[in-house]
Amino acid sequence: MPELPEVETVKNALSPHLDGRFFERIETHIGQLRYSLAPLYDKELRNEKIADVRRRGRYIIIELDNLKAFIIHLGMSGSIRIVEAAAERKKHEHVIWHMNGGMTMRFDCPRRFGFVKVCKLKAAGADPQELSHLGVEPLEPDFDAVYLYEASRKRTGSIKNFIMNNSIVVGVGNIYATEALFAAGIKPMRTAASLTRAECESLTKAVKAVLKRSIEVGGTTIADYKSVDGSEGKFVHELQVYGKKGQSCPVCNTEIEMTRLGGRSSCYCPKCQK
DNA sequence: AGAGATACCTGGGAGC
DNA sequence: TGCTCCCAGGTATCTC
């Protein structure tokens, strides 16, 4: 399931294949994913040089020279691959971009939680209006103890849901929220407002460390996620508590427990996490 | 305003 | 074996 490290990995792998090329034709095999795919037939998306490929939160932005852009979200099961136009289409490859030079970029999205949106940018390199609600990037310096502490005052929801809230900080999903809270020694069900300054310091550091480490090893492959070349992320081998209910804590051997927060399962060590 | 619930969707695993 | 049921996940939308 693609979280920030996975999307970062995909974006980095995609970039050299798209750089300076243009889309000659876009082919869709389904009417809509999360949103209708009809806007992809806009003529202004064709034969226009690809100016930039970047990431914002869990969204990939492919910007064209005319300031039109695609926003791609992989949902929970989406992947993108670059293959020759002649390659056989996989069952769930719903969108195929044909590039000059004979290669295609293909969006495989079995569970259809992903989407492709078309938008118009105000300037080169600008964030689309569609993503203006997003909070800070977790790997940027503005996600720090002061920010987290101040944003979380008066917040009565759980700290886990708080750091998974896209309007606060982007790209932290269930896996990395779970792992970061373990690394910081904080129970996921604590209210956000109950965190001290010191705990905000350890939590922001833990979020950054977990995300950076995962990017280094190519993300986390649980079931569906693969990068552009089909390789699997190796962070799954470094998970400490995610999905390990009933197993021993790698630090203190206490049995890992699970609770549900915001409808999502949340594993934690009852002894290491206060 | 914030927080919780729910819908969306399908593959995979468990249980019968 | 084959069926049904349930779960996983992020985001948008709703309700309180």
Side-chain angles (χ1 to χ4, degrees):
Chain A
M1 40 212 83
E3 294 188 31
L4 189 145
E6 291 76 33
V7 179
E8 178 73 14
T9 304
V10 169
K11 183 267 292 176
N12 288 337
L14 219 46
S15 207
H17 292 283
L18 302 190
D19 203 24
R21 298 211 170 265
F22 51 84
F23 301 118
E24 291 178 331
R25 184 165 68 87
I26 301 169
E27 180 185 327
T28 62
H29 291 270
I30 196 168
Q32 67 166 65
L33 292 171
R34 175 173 288 277
Y35 307 113
S36 168
L37 294 173
L40 271 67
Y41 287 93
D42 180 354
K43 282 179 186 160
E44 292 184 34
L45 300 172
R46 305 206 297 259
N47 301 320
E48 193 71 35
K49 202 173 100 182
I50 298 164
D52 189 38
V53 182
R54 59 182 178 274
R55 178 191 64 73
R56 173 79 173 101
R58 261 176 286 226
Y59 306 84
I60 294 170
I61 301 165
I62 300 176
E63 179 183 323
L64 304 178
D65 253 359
N66 59 1
L67 298 184
K68 289 249 177 175
F70 298 94
I71 304 173
I72 303 177
H73 194 291
L74 299 175
M76 68 168 288
S77 59
S79 63
I80 297 178
R81 64 174 186 151
I82 303 278
V83 287
E84 290 179 358
E88 192 175 343
R89 186 176 77 89
K90 289 189 188 175
K91 185 179 173 188
H92 300 291
E93 281 179 351
H94 301 305
V95 186
I96 301 181
W97 289 260
H98 291 260
M99 292 183 276
N100 60 322
M103 298 300 277
T104 58
M105 173 173 81
R106 305 186 182 199
F107 186 20
D108 190 329
C109 194
R111 257 165 262 191
R112 300 191 210 159
F113 264 34
F115 63 75
V116 182
K117 259 189 187 178
V118 173
C119 63
K120 179 81 180 176
L121 303 176
K122 288 207 169 73
D127 266 355
Q129 176 66 34
E130 284 81 350
L131 303 185
S132 62
H133 63 288
L134 295 180
V136 302
E137 286 285 336
L139 294 176
E140 294 297 317
D142 48 3
F143 179 64
D144 62 9
V146 174
Y147 174 80
L148 188 65
Y149 184 80
E150 287 178 0
S152 62
R153 298 308 88 185
K154 299 182 181 172
R155 290 294 195 130
T156 58
S158 71
I159 183 60
K160 175 159 176 277
N161 287 345
F162 189 69
I163 57 171
M164 287 173 66
N165 182 341
N166 257 349
S167 63
I168 304 298
V169 56
V170 298
V172 183
N174 205 18
I175 297 175
Y176 298 110
T178 297
E179 291 295 311
L181 284 162
F182 174 75
I186 298 166
K187 277 198 170 69
M189 61 287 262
R190 290 259 306 273
T191 65
S194 75
L195 266 65
T196 63
R197 282 175 193 276
E199 286 172 326
C200 288
E201 179 81 32
S202 16
L203 184 53
T204 48
K205 283 184 174 163
V207 166
K208 288 171 193 281
V210 164
L211 292 175
K212 278 183 188 162
R213 176 61 189 153
S214 186
I215 290 171
E216 279 174 14
V217 296
T220 308
T221 299
I222 298 289
D224 307 294
Y225 165 75
K226 278 182 180 146
S227 189
V228 173
D229 61 1
S231 64
E232 302 196 339
K234 295 179 179 59
F235 193 72
V236 65
H237 305 301
E238 301 189 20
L239 296 173
Q240 306 290 297
V241 288
Y242 177 84
K244 298 194 186 291
K245 177 195 177 191
Q247 298 182 35
S248 299
C249 167
V251 173
C252 74
N253 277 332
T254 302
E255 188 173 316
I256 292 167
E257 296 182 5
M258 186 176 93
T259 183
R260 286 189 88 77
L261 294 167
R264 305 291 180 229
S265 61
S266 309
C267 295
Y268 64 99
C269 170
K271 190 175 169 194
C272 291
Q273 295 175 253
K274 309 291 180 193

